[in-house]
Structures are given as structure tokens and as C-alpha cells.
Amino acid sequence: MAKIFQVSARAGMTRVVEPIARALLRAGVTPNAVTVAGTVGVLVGALGFGARGHLVAGALIVTVFALTDLLDGTMARMSGGSTRFGAFLDSSMDRVADSAVFGAVAYWLATQGNHSGVAAALVCLAAGSLVSYVKARAEGLGMTCNVGIAERTERLLIVGVGGILTGLNVKPALEIALWLLAAVSIFTVGQRMAHVYRQAQQLQPDRQA
Ligand SMILES: CCCCCCCC/C=C\CCCCCCCC(=O)OC[C@H](COP(=O)(O)O[C@@H]1[C@H](O)[C@H](OP(=O)(O)O)[C@@H](O)[C@H](O)[C@H]1O)OC(=O)CCCCCCC/C=C\CCCCCCCC
Ligand SMILES: Nc1ccn([C@@H]2O[C@H](COP(=O)(O)O)[C@@H](O)[C@H]2O)c(=O)n1
Ligand SMILES: [Mg+2]
Ligand SMILES: [Mg+2]
């Protein structure tokens, strides 16, 4: 279900992204520059706006710059192929951006004295990082791990909707969204662990787990 959403959302975005990618390449902009600039934009949105309580502005700025994550890969493919460093940079910058988003949310909730919300944001930060780490480690060991109900896009959407609703005065929305996200992120870690376990068993069936 999550995969179907991602694939169809991505297909829809492609028509918008490709002309922008072509124009940027013509202007001499590199995919790696877009990767870094997108991350800086997310940092500004999250830390400069979200952490100070400008939740709607923060979420909108983060959304615009998070979407540039679709642009860098498209540019790389258009300009003759992806690079190993580009793939490494893209994934590493995703972690920086996600940390800023959940760090900003935790900081703002702390300023509001919402300790339950802070705890939820920290669980989301840790579990979200673990979701990505498990995949990176599996891929490093030659396996695949493209599974799970709460991949990055879903995680950002959930915190974004919560942030915007709270910014629009639906006060408990962000805290509820964060606890929901904490649960689905932990579940996703389990899904990925199980997926890797099954692959490892198939690759080395005679070895002890
Ligand atoms: C107080 C401040 C609050 C701030 C809240 C933040 C708000 C953010 C709100 C919404 C943001 C939604 C935008 C989401 C854009 C995400 C783009 C994205 O991630 O694209 C990349 C994704 C996957 O590409 P990769 O395979 O290159 O990425 C991998 C991924 O990161 C893996 O992560 P993992 O799942 O493992 O954790 C890493 O492991 C791997 O390293 C990495 O390479 O691309 C896609 O396939 C999905 C494309 C979907 C496009 C999303 C379209 C969304 C549509 C509309 C967004 C606008 C919504 C507006 C409403 C906002 C409501 C809040
Ligand atoms: N600076 C970059 C960024 C990305 N890539 C390649 O694109 C893949 C990700 O594609 P997205 O559309 O999701 O951004 C990534 O794995 C790399 O192969 C790149 O080469 N340089
Ligand atoms: Mg990208
Ligand atoms: Mg990225």
C-alpha cells in the first residue's frame, strides 16, 4: 500500500520534476549541489521556522525542499548516470534532514512543556534512523530491504500533517501524529528485520542464525 502510494506519487511528480531537472542541468547545476541545497533548505524550514513554533511555514518550507530529493536523482540519471558518491550523499543528507525535522519538533514541544510529545518525537527520531540503518546495513551486506509501511516519505507526511494541523490550532494533532508515527516506525523496523532474516536464511540456510 505504502509502495503503491510512493510509486504513483513519484510517477505524478516526474512530469513536474523532469523539466526543472533539465533546466538546472542546462544552467550548469550539478545533482550533488541540489542534494546539498535541498538539505540546507530543510534545515532552515525545520530549525529556523518549525523549532520556533512557526509550524505551518516550517512544514511548507520543509515540503518544498524535501521534494528536491526527487530532483537530484532525476538530474543524475539525465546527465548520464548516477554516481556512487551521489547515492551516498543523497542517503546521508536524508538522515541530516530527518534529524533536523524531529529535533526541531522535539525542541518546540519542550518549549511548550509537552513532555509526552518530546518523548514521542525522540522515539520517532531513533526509530526512523533505525529504519534507514537496517536498510543500509542490509544493502552493505549484499541484500535488499525495500519494504516497510513507514518509509521516509510516509514518515515526513505524517509529521507534516500533524505539524500543520497543530499550527492551525488543532492542538493535540502533532502529539497524536508523533505517537502514531513512533508505532509504525517501530513496526517497520520489525518488518525490515524479518525481511533481512528471511533473505539471510535463503543465502546461508545451513548456518545458525
Ligand atoms: C515543525 C516542522 C514540521 C516539519 C514537518 C515536515 C513536513 C514535511 C511534510 C511533508 C513532506 C512530504 C514530502 C516528502 C518528500 C519526500 C521525498 C523523498 O523522500 O523522495 C525520495 C523518495 C525515496 O528516494 P530514495 O530511494 O532516494 O531515498 C531513500 C530513502 O530516503 C530511504 O529512507 P528509508 O525509507 O530507508 O528511511 C533511505 O534508506 C535511502 O538511503 C534513501 O536513498 O522518493 C520516493 O520514492 C517517493 C516519492 C514520493 C513523492 C512524495 C510526494 C508527496 C506529495 C506531496 C507532498 C506535499 C504534501 C503537502 C502536504 C503537506 C502536509 C504536511
Ligand atoms: N546527488 C545525487 C543524488 C542521487 N543520485 C542517484 O539517484 C538515486 C536516488 O534517486 P532519487 O530520485 O530518489 O533522488 C541515488 O541512489 C543515486 O543513484 C546521484 O547519483 N547523485
Ligand atoms: Mg534524491
Ligand atoms: Mg535523499
Side-chain angles (χ1 to χ4, degrees), residues 19-183:
I20 303 172
R22 212 168 287 122
L24 286 171
L25 285 170
R26 238 183 274 124
V29 179
T30 65
N32 290 349
V34 171
T35 306
V36 173
T39 308
V40 172
V42 171
L43 292 180
V44 170
L47 302 175
F49 288 82
R52 294 175 181 196
H54 305 297
L55 298 183
V56 176
L60 293 179
I61 294 168
V62 169
T63 300
V64 168
F65 284 98
L67 285 172
T68 65
D69 202 351
L70 299 170
L71 201 53
D72 51 6
T74 305
M75 288 171 70
R77 287 184 285 277
M78 278 180 168
S79 61
S82 313
T83 63
R84 275 175 193 277
F85 180 72
F88 165 83
L89 185 68
D90 186 315
S91 296
S92 302
M93 290 299 110
D94 286 351
R95 306 291 81 80
V96 172
D98 294 354
S99 302
V101 166
F102 290 101
V105 167
Y107 176 83
W108 179 72
L109 288 165
T111 66
Q112 304 303 300
N114 185 339
H115 298 127
S116 157
V118 173
L122 293 178
V123 175
C124 290
L125 178 57
S129 303
L130 202 49
V131 168
S132 308
Y133 174 79
V134 169
K135 177 176 169 178
R137 186 74 180 114
E139 289 176 345
L141 291 166
M143 292 178 272
T144 60
C145 199
N146 286 314
V147 297
I149 56 169
E151 298 195 276
R152 183 167 188 252
T153 304
E154 291 78 16
R155 297 200 300 275
L156 286 176
L157 278 172
I158 292 172
V159 66
V161 169
I164 286 184
L165 288 176
T166 293
L168 294 175
N169 247 351
V170 186
K171 287 290 177 210
L174 181 56
E175 185 185 341
I176 292 169
L178 287 169
W179 279 119
L180 170 72
L181 180 55

